[in-house]
């Protein structure tokens, strides 16, 4: 296991399939960072991706293949693992979107930041990164990393 862990929210998983930027980061840093996602985030992405494909008029076969490859870059965390931090996580997120507690619990358990576009995570007492700033996190890992990327080098 890497000393660097990021918890990915469902919206990041969706963006990894529908866009290039997130997927490029996942591929570029998969050796230096462990990308964790609670099982519920994976389920949420699996639920909404087909609806988004349909809405955008995209045949689902290729994006689902991309999603399968994205899942291979993740460590899916089962509820039986993050459950031990459930009460604390639920208390922290209860006034926002209570359904997000598994991501908070996972981040608490592994003492790591969350990567999300969901503003509900701000103020829960954990570091939170958004895609427009995540390059700062990755660049801080190793100043001389061959994978060093600026935001402008990533496709939107």
């Amino acid at each position: 296991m890497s000393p660097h862990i990021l918890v990915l929210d469902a919206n990041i998983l969706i963006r990894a399939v529908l866009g290039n930027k997130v997927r490029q980061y996942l591929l570029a840093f998969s050796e230096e960072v462990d990308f964790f996602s609670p099982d519920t985030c994976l389920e949420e992405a699996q639920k909404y991706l087909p609806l988004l494909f349909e809405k955008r008029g995209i045949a689902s076969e290729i994006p689902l293949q991309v999603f399968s490859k994205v899942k291979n870059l993740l460590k899916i965390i089962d509820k039986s693992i993050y459950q031990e931090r459930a009460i604390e996580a639920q208390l922290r997120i209860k006034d926002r979107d209570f359904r997000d507690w598994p991501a908070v619990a996972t981040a608490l358990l592994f003492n790591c930041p969350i990567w999300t576009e969901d503003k509900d995570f701000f103020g829960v007492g954990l570091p939170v990164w958004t895609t427009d700033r995540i390059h700062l996190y990755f660049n801080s890992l190793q100043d001389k990393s061959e994978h060093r990327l600026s935001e402008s080098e990533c496709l939107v």
Side-chain angles (χ1 to χ4, degrees), residues 57 64 78 81 92 115 119:
L64 289 176
D78 187 76
I81 296 171
R92 289 183 183 215
W115 182 6
K119 293 184 180 7

Side-chain angles (χ1 to χ4, degrees), residues 1-142:
M1 188 160 75
S2 167
H4 306 289
I5 300 170
L6 270 174
V7 172
L8 278 57
D9 187 26
N11 57 58
I12 298 302
L13 302 179
I14 290 169
R15 290 175 73 125
V17 175
L18 296 179
N20 292 314
K21 187 181 204 176
V22 170
R23 190 169 56 253
Q24 185 176 356
Y25 280 133
L26 294 177
L27 290 167
F29 291 95
S30 63
E31 296 296 319
E32 289 116 333
V33 178
D34 285 329
F35 297 110
F36 287 9
S37 192
D39 51 4
T40 56
C41 289
L42 189 71
E43 292 164 9
E44 185 178 340
Q46 287 174 316
K47 174 183 174 183
Y48 287 108
L49 277 168
L51 300 172
L52 292 168
F53 301 152
E54 183 179 328
K55 184 178 177 181
R56 294 177 180 204
I58 302 171
S60 62
E61 185 177 315
I62 293 174
L64 289 176
Q65 290 173 0
V66 171
F67 187 54
S68 179
K69 290 180 182 181
V70 167
K71 288 191 297 188
N72 289 333
L73 299 171
L74 307 174
K75 291 180 176 33
I76 307 303
I77 309 302
D78 187 76
K79 184 177 183 177
S80 63
I81 296 171
Y82 61 77
Q83 183 68 40
E84 71 179 70
R85 300 304 291 267
I87 293 172
E88 182 182 359
Q90 291 167 357
L91 288 171
R92 289 183 183 215
I93 197 88
K94 72 177 177 141
D95 294 330
R96 292 149 194 230
D97 187 346
F98 187 77
R99 295 170 298 173
D100 287 331
W101 75 264
V104 174
T106 302
L108 286 168
L109 184 64
F110 294 101
N111 191 30
C112 64
I114 299 171
W115 182 6
T116 184
E117 298 303 324
D118 188 342
K119 293 184 180 7
D120 290 332
F121 288 97
F122 291 96
V124 298
L126 292 164
V128 177
W129 292 96
T130 56
T131 302
D132 69 333
R133 294 288 178 246
I134 197 71
H135 68 281
L136 299 171
Y137 172 81
F138 291 129
N139 287 343
S140 73
L141 299 179
Q142 294 181 330

